[in-house]
Amino acid sequence: MLSVGIVGLPNVGKSTLFNALTSGHAEMSNYPFTTIDSNVGVVPVPDARLDNLTRALRPQKTTPCAIRFIDIAGLVKGASRGEGLGNRFLGEIRQVDAIAHVVRCFDTPNVAHVFADLDPIRDAEVIETELVLADLEILQRAMAKMDKEWRTHPQDHAVERQRFEHYRSMIEGGTPLRATSPDANDRRWMKTAGLLTGKPLLLVANVSGEREAGALDQLCTERDHSSCVSLDADLELELAAMDPDERKLFMEELGITSLGLNRLTRAAFDLLGLITFYTVVKDKLQAWEVPAGTPAAIAAGRIHSDMERGFIRAEVVTADELCETGDLHEIRSRGHLKTVGREYEVKDGDVMEFLFNV
């Protein structure tokens, strides 16, 4: 399961957001470093197509895709040098697939802030700078360790050395590695190397009332190669505690058309470059996430390794067509199921049945 680390300065609303997402009980307070041990929760990914399929097929069980959210303690300026709880929690960020960076955009006097004034752009850049400095240390240490081997066998390591030198040049210029638009293979390499700034980043503007997060939107667009979601974590926590009918009425009174948590979870899912396909087996409907461009045989392996090894073919129909008929057998009898081979690239919204040898 893919994981997203919730990071930010102390007292920006990380634990409030985590509790709203997971209906959990992470400790919340108005002083720094309330969160010492990371909290972990699994959150289903909102999926309108899956809802439509459930209504059309009426399966006994429906299973959505899910993301693991990890509430990581607040970082402070100097974290890359071990300030605060820096070393420990930089290590935890290295384990996640993507980062949700919560930035405080509310001014509440009774909630302490690490700085004397409210400046979301400055706060966002403090965290980014610490991640950049941590990456620079990793790159310099790795390059020093490999220098002798590079000089001894220059041709064998030319590509590797060029990659490290390019990344170091970017980092020294203050540019996060996500600016290279790394693909899945690049991100895996960066994760193995322990690099932080190549991870997909979602800026979460924690607002209060009508206050906007326009400055953060500008930062996402112009500088950071990131996405941005704004929400009111306190309000989202209050909404999450309500029963569905009460929540609906309250949202209507406030003119809220969608939960910020749903937008956040969906944005985190999309940030990872994932698509969704579906299976219907023995009256069980399930959504599965795979990277865009995944071949059918690899997608089958997402369900079980035996299915990938013994892959014969797959039968495919779109979720929209299945919703219209409500009957997979009817679609098959009409000859509307498409038969594909192992190299077929799975499309977002495919409903697939895999045939394989055991």
Side-chain angles (χ1 to χ4, degrees), residues 119-175:
D119 186 341
I121 297 298
R122 176 206 57 209
D123 293 357
E125 291 179 343
V126 165
I127 297 297
E128 186 69 19
T129 297
E130 295 306 318
L131 301 184
V132 165
L133 290 173
D135 277 3
L136 181 59
E137 181 182 352
I138 287 174
L139 288 168
Q140 289 176 331
R141 189 166 57 241
M143 293 175 74
K145 183 177 180 180
M146 294 183 289
D147 182 64
K148 182 178 179 181
E149 181 69 17
W150 285 350
R151 287 186 286 107
T152 305
H153 304 284
Q155 291 184 338
D156 294 342
H157 300 285
V159 174
E160 178 184 55
R161 183 171 186 169
Q162 183 180 27
R163 182 204 290 253
F164 271 92
E165 289 176 344
H166 175 57
Y167 285 170
R168 183 178 64 180
S169 176
M170 289 184 62
I171 290 296
E172 286 177 338
T175 302

Side-chain angles (χ1 to χ4, degrees), residues 233-250:
D234 285 333
L235 176 60
E236 295 292 330
L237 182 62
E238 183 179 355
L239 291 170
M242 297 179 179
D243 66 62
D245 291 336
E246 182 186 10
R247 183 188 307 126
K248 182 179 179 181
L249 288 173
F250 189 54

Side-chain angles (χ1 to χ4, degrees), residues 91-225:
E92 294 196 358
I93 298 170
R94 291 190 177 101
Q95 304 307 311
V96 302
D97 298 296
I99 298 171
H101 177 184
V102 182
V103 182
R104 178 169 171 166
C105 298
F106 64 88
D107 192 5
T108 304
N110 66 339
V111 179
H113 193 31
V114 293
F115 295 112
D117 60 329
L118 183 67
D119 186 341
I121 297 298
R122 176 206 57 209
D123 293 357
E125 291 179 343
V126 165
I127 297 297
E128 186 69 19
T129 297
E130 295 306 318
L131 301 184
V132 165
L133 290 173
D135 277 3
L136 181 59
E137 181 182 352
I138 287 174
L139 288 168
Q140 289 176 331
R141 189 166 57 241
M143 293 175 74
K145 183 177 180 180
M146 294 183 289
D147 182 64
K148 182 178 179 181
E149 181 69 17
W150 285 350
R151 287 186 286 107
T152 305
H153 304 284
Q155 291 184 338
D156 294 342
H157 300 285
V159 174
E160 178 184 55
R161 183 171 186 169
Q162 183 180 27
R163 182 204 290 253
F164 271 92
E165 289 176 344
H166 175 57
Y167 285 170
R168 183 178 64 180
S169 176
M170 289 184 62
I171 290 296
E172 286 177 338
T175 302
L177 297 181
R178 74 182 67 89
T180 64
S181 300
D183 60 20
N185 290 329
D186 292 331
R187 287 198 296 269
R188 278 193 293 270
W189 185 90
M190 291 177 185
K191 186 175 182 180
T192 300
L195 297 171
L196 300 170
T197 65
K199 296 179 185 293
L201 179 71
L202 175 68
L203 282 174
V204 183
N206 188 8
V207 301
S208 178
E210 298 300 320
R211 182 161 186 151
E212 296 296 331
L216 283 179
D217 288 328
Q218 183 179 0
L219 182 66
C220 289
T221 302
E222 297 181 0
R223 180 181 181 275
D224 206 33
H225 299 268

